[in-house]
Amino acid sequence: EDFLATVAEKSHGAALRGDYEHADAQYVVQQNWAEYSEAEHDLWRRLYQRQMALLPGRACDEFIDALHKMDAAAGIPEFEKTSAELFATTGWKIVAVPGLIPELTFFEHLANRRFPVTVWLRKPEEFNYIVEPDVFHDFFGHVPMLFNPVFADYMQRYGQGGLKAMKLGGLDQLARLYWYTVEFGLINTPQGMRIYGAGILSSGGEVEYCLTPGTTSRHIHLQIERCLNTLYKIDTYQETYFVIQNFQELFDGTAPDFAPYYERLKSAEPFPANALLPQETELLP
Ligand code: HBI
Ligand code: FE
């Protein structure tokens, strides 16, 4: 609801930043890597270094291992290079986009194993917080996880589900699943709870916050229908983190037909972002 509304507004707003007039029918543009300034490459390096000082021991191994294989430390990467490696690994490609694109186009890309990566980089004054995904959020936050075969399959299935949700009026619900998994998801591992959500992996403060015990935020095991019915906040740390045991659980959770979920939920009052239901127990980060 509010996030989706702002996506629409932001898509318009981003048009002011993005170069939509050179986009094709699927909003794909050239990255024009040679046009990035040295100052932008330097900002990228500072963002990268900040994250790499925080993520070891907090990001899941799948993210760290993939990132080490991508040479993304030296400056804003050339999408083509990583796209070829990604395609050879999980059949996904990177497509360059001017910024936020319409839901339908976004889902169509995911359903065809294409991940849209924004071409512009935030301004230095947006170092700590950005309202629209930029190249650092999309490339650093999202692309490494697409090297994991099971997560890659989940992302494609999410795209297919999005196309279906648009026909069934389930967009609001499905956006919550994206938000609480792809953007802000946590995963349990034998070494403890770890981060796989791009929104956290590409941010500063939330990396430590989400794994700090004793905060007011909930950590509960992901239950798909409950997640589809849980509101989220777009401009504060999350009040609930949904935790999975493994990526297979995500993939399996999206196997069933969601139509009955949408049917039940469209007349239901969504849970507030900080809800804890009677049968739920809090997991300790
Ligand atoms: N466009 N480029 C881009 N990146 C996104 O993450 C994105 C989008 N458009 C819509 C959107 N996300 C959300 O509405 C998803 O929940 C579909
Ligand atoms: Fe994102």
Side-chain angles (χ1 to χ4, degrees), residues 3-4 7 97 99-103 106-107 116 118 133 158 175 178:
F3 176 66
L4 291 176
V7 166
V97 293
L100 285 175
I101 60 179
E103 268 86 22
F106 182 70
F107 291 133
T118 298
Y158 181 88
Y178 190 86

Side-chain angles (χ1 to χ4, degrees), residues 8 140 212:
F140 182 92
T212 300

Side-chain angles (χ1 to χ4, degrees), residues 3 106 115 133 137-138 141-142 178-179 182-183 198-199 202:
F3 176 66
F106 182 70
F115 191 77
H137 169 85
D138 283 340
H142 284 286
Y178 190 86
W179 188 267
V182 182
E183 296 294 356
S202 59

Side-chain angles (χ1 to χ4, degrees), residues 75-86:
I76 301 172
E78 292 182 75
F79 296 174
E80 275 307 309
K81 220 165 144 297
T82 301
S83 188
E85 289 154 9
L86 183 61

Side-chain angles (χ1 to χ4, degrees), residues 66-214:
L67 191 66
H68 283 153
K69 291 196 191 90
M70 299 156 56
D71 61 347
I76 301 172
E78 292 182 75
F79 296 174
E80 275 307 309
K81 220 165 144 297
T82 301
S83 188
E85 289 154 9
L86 183 61
F87 186 71
T89 310
T90 56
W92 274 78
K93 283 182 185 161
I94 293 171
V95 288
V97 293
L100 285 175
I101 60 179
E103 268 86 22
L104 177 62
T105 317
F106 182 70
F107 291 133
E108 280 172 348
H109 280 307
L110 297 190
N112 290 282
R113 296 176 92 89
R114 293 188 301 263
F115 191 77
V117 176
T118 298
V119 294
W120 52 262
L121 180 69
R122 68 190 70 187
K123 298 282 167 285
E125 54 275 18
E126 296 173 302
F127 190 81
N128 287 315
Y129 184 72
I130 185 144
V131 286
E132 296 153 21
D134 71 337
V135 63
F136 188 77
H137 169 85
D138 283 340
F139 192 98
F140 182 92
H142 284 286
V143 172
M145 285 310 301
L146 291 171
F147 280 87
N148 174 272
V150 180
F151 187 82
D153 286 347
Y154 169 66
M155 284 293 275
Q156 176 176 29
R157 190 176 260 179
Y158 181 88
Q160 292 159 343
L163 296 173
K164 199 169 153 194
M166 293 185 83
K167 297 189 182 79
L168 297 171
L171 257 194
D172 288 359
Q173 284 80 10
L174 198 67
R176 295 170 189 152
L177 182 63
Y178 190 86
W179 188 267
Y180 279 119
T181 57
V182 182
E183 296 294 356
F184 291 93
L186 302 182
I187 182 167
N188 260 331
T189 79
Q191 295 76 33
M193 214 174 272
R194 294 291 184 268
I195 304 162
Y196 72 91
I200 308 176
L201 292 167
S202 59
S203 79
E206 196 156 4
V207 169
E208 290 176 290
Y209 174 81
C210 73
L211 295 179
T212 300

